[in-house]
């Protein structure tokens, strides 16, 4: 009998050690760190899509983990019926159609948009829309940030954001980025465990001035949200003049503009992707560069390249794609990829909470 109990004790000890290793390993991850930092802020984040089971699951997990206070928009009875196995006891559910705040929000929307031709009737109708209602919550100060887009288009999320919350003062354009989180086994070219990819979700063909602004605000996102020391690469199909084309000229001009505005920022361009992240290639193609071979913020020349790039990294490289995270709004408004998982949504909630501090 003593041998039996000793074996059980040994097994329990082994399990405890393994669990400790897992917890210690988790504490080293990017996602753990941002969720922990977000939880310390105790922000109120509104999720607009109570009809989507991924959003409902994310709401439950984020609330239980204390990542943020969660407000989920939708009909409480229908949400419970559609998700019987999900515990929503820690989640506040608000139905815009039945909310006492709806009339107040409709009046606010009319006040904000009447100069643009919106009528009271139109404002009243839009106040029933979950996304408009959620953005109005943020504008009114009843929520600190918003996450939507799991089952609606980017336009459906960003249009009310741009109309109501608008860009922050001094920010010439709203852009987006993805947090590309390395797989658990790591990646030899991802030194910090995460890349920032910009702009992969919003601006189709930015000019040089816009591309420079995207680079600068992405560097701030990398520093303030991801906790990185930003090393920014302006990507192209050429490295340091290895090819000639008008598309390359746009990137090199953007580099010069950004460098003039932020001379102390670690930034270089134009760089091919391998020159940006592979040290051996950088040594050959861009010797002496402080960024080449070690970049953690990758600025794509247009939406074609950025969108393709992040999806290749996610699907073939096994990275977790969190975003598109919007940059430049006066208050945090964030879109989701319609192919997102509930884990991605929880991460976006954490990032949204952290953005309130920028």
């Amino acid at each position: 009998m003593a041998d039996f109990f000793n074996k059980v004790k040994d097994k329990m000890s082994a399990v405890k050690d393994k669990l400790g290793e897992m917890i210690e390993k988790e504490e080293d991850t990017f996602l753990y760190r941002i969720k922990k930092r977000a939880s310390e802020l105790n922000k109120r984040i509104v999720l607009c899509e109570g009809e989507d089971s991924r959003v409902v699951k994310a709401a439950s997990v984020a609330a239980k983990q204390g990542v943020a206070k969660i407000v989920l928009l939708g009909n409480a009875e229908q949400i419970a019926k559609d998700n019987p196995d999900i515990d929503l006891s820690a989640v506040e559910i608000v139905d815009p159609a039945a909310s006492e705040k709806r009339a107040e929000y409709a009046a606010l929307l009319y006040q904000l948009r009447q100069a643009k031709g919106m009528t009271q009737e139109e404002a009243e109708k839009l106040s029933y829309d979950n996304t408009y209602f959620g953005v109005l919550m943020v504008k009114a100060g009843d929520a600190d940030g918003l996450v939507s887009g799991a089952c609606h288009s980017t336009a459906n999320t960003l249009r009310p954001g741009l109309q109501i919350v608008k860009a922050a003062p001094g920010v010439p354009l709203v852009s987006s980025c993805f947090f590309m989180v390395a797989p658990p086994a790591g990646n030899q070219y991802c030194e910090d465990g995460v890349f920032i990819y910009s702009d992969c979700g919003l601006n189709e063909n930015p000019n040089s001035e816009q591309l420079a602004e995207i680079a600068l605000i992405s560097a701030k996102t990398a520093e303030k949200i991801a906790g990185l020391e930003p090393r920014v690469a302006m990507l192209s199909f050429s490295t340091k003049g290895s090819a000639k084309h008008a598309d390359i000229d746009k990137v090199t001009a953007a580099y010069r503009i950004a460098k003039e505005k932020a001379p102390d920022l670690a930034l270089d361009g134009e760089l091919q992707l391998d020159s940006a992240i592979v040290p051996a290639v950088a040594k050959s193609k861009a010797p002496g560069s402080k960024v080449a071979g070690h970049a953690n913020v990758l600025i794509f020349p247009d939406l074609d390249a950025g969108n393709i790039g992040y999806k290749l990294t996610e699907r073939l490289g096994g990275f977790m794609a969190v975003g598109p995270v919007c940059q430049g709004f006066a208050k945090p408004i964030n879109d989701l990829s319609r192919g997102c998982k509930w884990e991605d949504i929880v991460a976006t909630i954490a990032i949204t909470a952290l953005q309130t501090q920028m």
Side-chain angles (χ1 to χ4, degrees), residues 2 5 9 16 22 35 55 61 66 83 98 115 129 192 194 199 202 222 228 242 282 286 322:
F5 281 113
K9 185 178 178 181
K16 185 178 179 181
M22 289 170 64
K35 286 192 288 186
V55 176
V61 172
N83 304 275
D129 179 88
D192 301 296
V194 62
D199 182 342
L202 187 55
L228 303 178
S242 63
V322 180

Side-chain angles (χ1 to χ4, degrees), residues 115-343:
K116 298 292 185 179
M118 182 174 286
T119 65
Q120 285 184 321
E121 291 76 13
E122 288 171 333
E124 175 78 13
K125 183 178 179 181
L126 285 172
S127 69
Y128 284 90
D129 179 88
N130 281 15
T131 308
Y132 271 92
F133 186 94
V135 173
L136 286 162
M137 284 184 70
V138 175
K139 180 67 175 179
D142 294 329
D144 298 298
L146 173 144
V147 177
S148 188
C151 57
H152 292 91
S153 70
T154 294
N156 281 13
T157 300
L158 298 188
R159 185 183 299 112
L162 291 167
Q163 290 177 349
I164 297 166
V165 170
K166 303 180 180 179
V171 176
L173 83 164
V174 173
S175 61
S176 75
C177 72
F178 274 86
F179 289 71
M180 303 302 299
V181 183
N187 180 280
Q188 62 179 320
Y189 304 122
C190 189
E191 298 174 9
D192 301 296
V194 62
F195 285 116
I196 306 299
Y197 281 17
S198 298
D199 182 342
C200 305
L202 187 55
N203 293 285
E204 295 175 357
N205 190 19
N207 59 33
S208 296
E209 290 77 12
Q210 292 169 329
L211 201 58
E213 291 296 336
I214 290 168
L216 295 176
I217 198 167
S218 298
K220 289 181 182 178
T221 296
E223 181 183 4
K224 301 297 184 182
I225 306 301
L228 303 178
E229 181 179 339
R231 300 181 295 274
V232 186
M234 310 291 291
L235 298 182
S236 178
F237 61 89
S238 166
T239 295
K240 299 296 185 181
S242 63
K244 302 294 181 184
H245 193 276
D247 289 347
I248 301 168
D249 295 340
K250 180 182 83 167
V251 175
T252 55
Y255 162 72
R256 290 193 295 269
I257 294 167
K259 197 64 178 174
E260 184 176 345
K261 290 185 175 182
D264 296 329
L265 176 65
L267 180 148
D268 205 354
E270 84 281 13
L271 296 171
Q272 291 165 286
L273 178 63
D274 55 356
S275 299
I277 66 172
V278 182
V281 176
K283 188 179 295 185
S284 169
K285 291 187 175 183
S289 172
K290 295 180 180 179
V291 172
H294 304 282
N296 53 19
V297 180
L298 305 182
I299 307 301
F300 292 84
D302 56 39
L303 191 58
D304 273 339
N307 191 268
I308 292 167
Y310 101 77
K311 289 184 177 178
L312 278 171
T313 306
E314 178 186 24
R315 301 298 180 179
L316 300 184
F319 279 64
M320 180 181 183
V322 180
V325 172
C326 295
Q327 307 175 120
F329 275 118
K331 294 184 177 182
I333 304 289
N334 278 317
D335 189 23
L336 294 164
S337 168
R338 277 175 281 180
C340 66
K341 304 178 182 69
W342 69 261
E343 295 92 341

